[in-house]
Amino acid sequence: MALFQIAEPGQSAAPHRHRLAVGIDLGTTNSLVATVRSGIPTVLGDEQGRPLMPSIVRYLPGGAVEVGYAAQSRQVEDPKNCLASVKRFMGRGLRDVAYIENSPYDFVDAPGMVQLRTVAGVKSPVEVSAEILKALRRRAELSLAGDLAGAVITVPAYFDDAQRQATKDAARLAGLNVLRLLNEPTAAAVAYGLENASEGLYAVFDLGGGTFDISILRLSRGVFEVLATSGDAALGGDDFDHRVFCWALEEAKLPPLPPRDTRMLQLKSREAKEALALHGEAPLTAKLSSGEFIDLRLTTETFCRITQNLVHKTLGPTRKALRDAGLAVEDIKGVVMVGGATRMPQLQRAVAEFFGRDPLNNLDPDKVVALGAAMQANVLAGNQPEGGDWLLLDVIPLSLGIETMGGLVERIVPRNSTIPTARAQEFTTFKDGQTAMSIHVVQGERELVSDCRSLARFELRGIPPLAAGGARIRVGFQVDADGLLSVSAREQSTGLESSISVKPSYGLGDSDIERMLRDSFEHAREDMHARALREHRVEGERLAGAVRGALAADGGLLAPEERGEIDRLLAALEAALPGDDARAIKRAAEALNRATGSFAARRMDEGVKRALAGRSIANLDL
Amino acid sequence: MTNHFELFGLAPSFALDAGALDRAFRELQAQVHPDRFAQAGDAERRASMQWSTRANEAYRLLRDPVERARYLLELHGVDTGFDTDTAMPGDFLARQIELREALEEAKHKRDVAALEAMKRGLAASSRALQAELASRIDRAQDYAGATGAVRQLQFLKRLAEEVDAAGDFD
């Protein structure tokens, strides 16, 4: 792919210093961390060189944790405290969780997001995910010998706002500076597209441990444009394991099992499934705590039969994504397979049959997402990649709307809108003299509110009492480049405004996060102040670098007195940076931020003008 | 505030060069997209999100023939009247009713061939209307006279979406 060259506007003239940035694939079953080293994206392994880290956290009495293989090896003996596949619970309530009856965990039905009771107390899936992220961060910092400037964390493209927010909260809890939440199939497309210099229309078929995504992209001259995405946030390799597990229960005519046996049989079921990929038949044997022996044989034929409808479930979203992109199967030039679960032969066959071509498997389906995320993190951190730059244009997977009369949804932002995006809609009062309006934000494709996901509720008060239909309330949605929503509402005649970031009604508020941070420090005996200092320093250095670069590139846009003020505040920040006073650094950064506001806006306008000027000649012959 | 055509450096016209629009959109996003400002200060990041949002909105609108026509009429002070004026020529309405009945029948019978034929028919009608709009808007500059064709095009777009959705039988 011919990449076009673009100077990085934020830093054109800043002296180049390689910033350590990583891409993290926070998976249902396994997680990975990768970075770009000497221009080459590489997965960072553990001390034993193992690239994957099982996404399993074990809580011990007193609050210590084991993560990864250490936790995995204790699953059978300590099933209630070895938490696996928590990605399935992120941003989800108890009633949304599948197979709860076969799960060994003690669920706590908390408002918003389900929680898990462990020997170390009740844990939110956000906290559990944060432990995984912390372990990956340590791995990266050891391996790269330095502090991380930032990380790109991948999420399933089909994750809704609640799940994305939960992921970002987990990263914050793990002390990571999130450069971007990146959709997994898009990350895979970056890795695949750059590796193979691909141009044209591609489908990325991503079946992970717990989620399924299908994205349709147009790759063209350094631009990765997602045309449509669809999927199923509760369909993955885990479900295939579960079918084998249910089959085993039925074949062996077993009564409901205690947690230990359940966990063991689940693990045996997965092993049998994995063994099938190599042989046509796999043994499934186990000794239960009752002393009973199970001795079964799983054949490929049985496996295909019991998982047939799971395979079929991937095709509906695939059709929908193609339709939303306005494309036919024949338009697709290649289908990139991502996620360990796509190794299953029946899935490869189904995809080949649907698209009428063999899918592309030339990149490791376990690693491709992390590698793409690392490449994007490298660019976002301001390190110039070799061979030029690229641009990602992604979309939101599910429509956003608000509840209107009769429990119906008024769609405000349709699915597959390119982000960032903003839309607004006007609403009016229902009763004479109505002075308050309750706004219920939902996400999903169905007509009824009860079939969509509830994201937040808030109230706009102080509406002037008018006849029904008299007030005009404008509800605005803004979705940022991470796919996260913020909502504002404004009564037009009074200018009364109410705005929220769509956080509080599910999951965690800012105070929850702070409490969790404090708790985790007490256990880790890490110094809260040292951490705040480190964070403010990273932030302050980033800002100082950006402003230096901006002054060098576009200092001419400033009047002498403006320039003097910015120079003074920049010098003050640079003087504060080496000190130990976190608050002084923060204050200096805030002052510099404020002072550069209008400069930033002017630079942006100049950038746009330059983009237009570059084109005006080409347009003369239109 | 520049209008959507000016934002992309394009002459305001209904018959738009899709390739030129694509190129302009990409070049603008390459300048303003938030990924270019991940390391910048808060003010620049905010400005970048606003510009990028605006570029996306303008691109979405200009790419869609119905929205583009509506916007051009608006620029010339003509309201398309989607919300207020629902009057349509009798023969057009009669044809729409026929098509909707045919759609219901095809859906009921799961008749893929009939759906495909409808899709082709709608695409042809839509092309004819777009040719009419190009002539009225770009050449004759008869903006008020174009409203009827814009509303008809909107009808066809809705119906085409329903035909598309009807193809999912599971």
Side-chain angles (χ1 to χ4, degrees), chain A residues 8 105 137 158 177 249 251 272 327 373 385 424-425 434 464 477 544 547 557 590 613:
Chain A
E8 183 76 38
Y105 311 133
R137 188 184 123 203
Y158 213 58
N177 172 34
L249 286 181
E251 284 289 299
L327 297 171
Q425 180 86 45
Q434 186 178 338
F477 279 34
V547 172
L557 296 172
E590 279 167 2

Side-chain angles (χ1 to χ4, degrees), chain A residues 402-410 427-431 434 449:
Chain A
I402 76 170
E403 175 172 357
T404 61
M405 293 306 302
L408 294 176
V409 179
E410 174 73 22
F427 296 89
T428 189
T429 42
F430 169 63
K431 281 189 206 140
Q434 186 178 338
V449 166

Side-chain angles (χ1 to χ4, degrees), chain B residues 90-141:
Chain B
D91 55 339
F92 181 79
L93 278 182
R95 178 79 191 124
Q96 290 297 304
I97 292 168
E98 264 171 45
L99 283 167
R100 279 184 190 276
E101 282 168 1
L103 171 60
E104 285 312 312
E105 196 182 321
K107 246 159 79 172
H108 185 70
K109 290 186 181 160
R110 301 194 159 201
D111 186 344
V112 179
L115 288 174
E116 287 299 322
M118 283 189 77
K119 243 188 251 184
R120 281 193 300 274
L122 285 170
S125 313
S126 166
R127 273 195 302 276
L129 275 173
Q130 290 188 48
E132 184 189 334
L133 279 172
S135 142
R136 278 195 198 263
I137 296 176
D138 297 343
R139 283 190 286 283
Q141 289 166 10

